[in-house]
Amino acid sequence: MESEINNLVMVWITVVASLCYCHTIGNIITPGTTRLIPILPVILIFLVLPLNLRTISLRVPILFFVAWLANFKLLLFAYGKGPLSSNNPLLPLPLSRFITLASFPIKIQDDPIINKQKKSLTNYAIKALILSTIIPIQQNKSSIHPNVFLFFYCIYNYIILEIILATVAALVRAALGVELEPNFEEPYLSTSLQDFWGRRWNLIASDSLRSTVYIPVRTMMSRWIGRKWAPVPAVIPTFMVSGIIHEFIFYNMRRSKQPTWEVTLFFVVHGMCLAAEIAVKKAVNRKWRLPPVVSGSLAVAFVMTTKLWLFMPALMALEADVNAHREMIEFVESIKSSFRPIIS
């Protein structure tokens, strides 16, 4: 574990140094392809950085924070857009804020005057309590029906992901002194697939895909089929890109020779279904739509069913939770062994 910690330190040194370089490039080169070209080597470096880490508990955050989100933010920055670009071209973001925004899954609230309702500690306490009841189920999965276990494992992954990202956001909020957009907005209360993916689930990741894929495709399609129907075909390539990114992350997690493409299929299915939902909404009068309770129940049931069918088996094959638990034990043991000479 000591060598792995050293590897992690070197990875973050590389990230910070690369972002300092990109910040300097932004100060001397105007937005456009001329700025993108010198930034491309950094994007390639960020893609291979996770290969320097062997533990899944350290590799996954680098894959998500750096290889995905930071790279998408840099692509937008190259063209003067996104969270790394200042509203005033003559006054770029301070270096410290530039590095923080690029390195972590956060987004500063667009309008700080509007006080969005924050989640209470009770909300997280309830989720932590649910998590504590699911952990024993995971430890006894051999005695539980596979489908039942997958269902609880799905809930476990949602809660643990929300708690981790909320913790990171809280630390950054305290350091920067700014209000941040939430990562999750109670996705189980969704009223449709559009509500689930666009307004409630992993919003920072969704925002990166919206800015880099959805909006450019929608703008291009609006010239051919008009603004009303342009969102329909724009959704599908957005979900295809999301699927490929997730496949890349899963591939790096297991480091196998061949991807399974189950995760990509999951996002392609949802992209097609969401495109169909948007088309129906645009074609049908509002008064003929299903009540939100009905449409929401159907949407959440569809998400759960497809996730149990395609996404969760691929995630289970990685044994991410088992490896993370083993790595945590190794880390604790290494800490104990380092203190033994001092105690004795």
Side-chain angles (χ1 to χ4, degrees), residues 90-306:
L90 300 178
L91 187 64
L93 290 180
L95 178 60
S96 58
R97 179 166 293 195
F98 182 91
I99 293 174
T100 305
L101 290 174
S103 303
F104 298 103
I106 57 171
K107 180 184 178 184
I108 297 176
Q109 280 190 11
D110 294 329
D111 189 353
I113 299 177
I114 300 176
N115 293 321
K116 295 187 178 181
Q117 186 176 1
K118 297 179 182 178
K119 293 185 182 181
S120 64
L121 292 177
T122 304
N123 182 292
Y124 289 111
I126 292 173
K127 288 173 181 174
L129 180 62
I130 295 172
L131 190 65
S132 67
T133 61
I134 295 176
I135 291 175
I137 296 175
Q138 284 188 276
Q139 295 173 345
N140 297 280
K141 61 181 179 181
S142 59
S143 59
I144 302 174
H145 191 280
N147 292 335
V148 175
F149 175 78
L150 277 179
F151 174 79
F152 283 108
Y153 192 57
C154 185
I155 298 174
Y156 166 85
N157 277 277
Y158 155 59
I159 295 177
I160 199 71
L161 181 60
E162 179 173 6
I163 290 176
I164 290 173
L165 294 182
T167 302
V168 172
L171 294 173
V172 174
R173 185 186 299 114
L176 295 182
V178 295
E179 288 301 321
L180 303 176
E181 298 285 350
N183 272 290
F184 290 90
E185 283 287 4
E186 315 304 340
Y188 47 84
L189 298 178
S190 300
T191 58
S192 63
L193 282 179
Q194 191 175 15
D195 186 39
F196 178 88
W197 288 112
R199 306 181 190 95
R200 294 185 180 272
W201 180 262
N202 206 352
L203 297 178
I204 307 302
S206 298
D207 186 68
S208 70
L209 290 163
R210 182 184 297 109
S211 301
T212 54
V213 184
Y214 174 77
I215 292 177
V217 174
R218 185 189 63 183
T219 302
M220 180 181 65
M221 295 303 298
S222 64
R223 301 169 186 165
W224 298 342
I225 61 177
R227 295 182 62 183
K228 178 181 179 179
W229 295 102
V232 178
V235 163
I236 296 176
T238 304
F239 274 79
M240 288 179 66
V241 171
S242 179
I244 293 171
I245 293 170
H246 281 81
E247 200 75 53
F248 170 77
I249 292 175
F250 275 43
Y251 175 80
N252 275 275
M253 288 170 68
R254 68 176 159 264
R255 293 187 175 174
S256 59
K257 295 182 180 179
Q258 294 294 334
T260 63
W261 300 110
E262 290 176 305
V263 179
T264 302
L265 179 59
F266 169 81
F267 284 98
V268 169
V269 168
H270 274 267
M272 295 175 66
C273 291
L274 179 54
E277 179 185 286
I278 294 173
V280 170
K281 284 181 178 179
K282 291 183 177 295
V284 177
N285 192 296
R286 282 185 174 271
K287 67 179 181 179
W288 295 106
R289 294 183 185 179
L290 293 172
V293 174
V294 177
S295 61
S297 299
L298 291 174
V300 173
F302 178 72
V303 171
M304 288 296 295
T305 302
T306 51

Side-chain angles (χ1 to χ4, degrees), residues 12-25 42 46 66 70 74 77 84 95 98-104:
W12 277 111
I13 289 175
T14 304
V15 170
V16 172
S18 300
L19 291 175
C20 289
Y21 162 79
C22 291
H23 186 266
T24 303
I25 291 295
V42 173
F46 283 3
V66 178
L74 288 176
F77 174 68
L84 302 184
L95 178 60
F98 182 91
I99 293 174
T100 305
L101 290 174
S103 303
F104 298 103

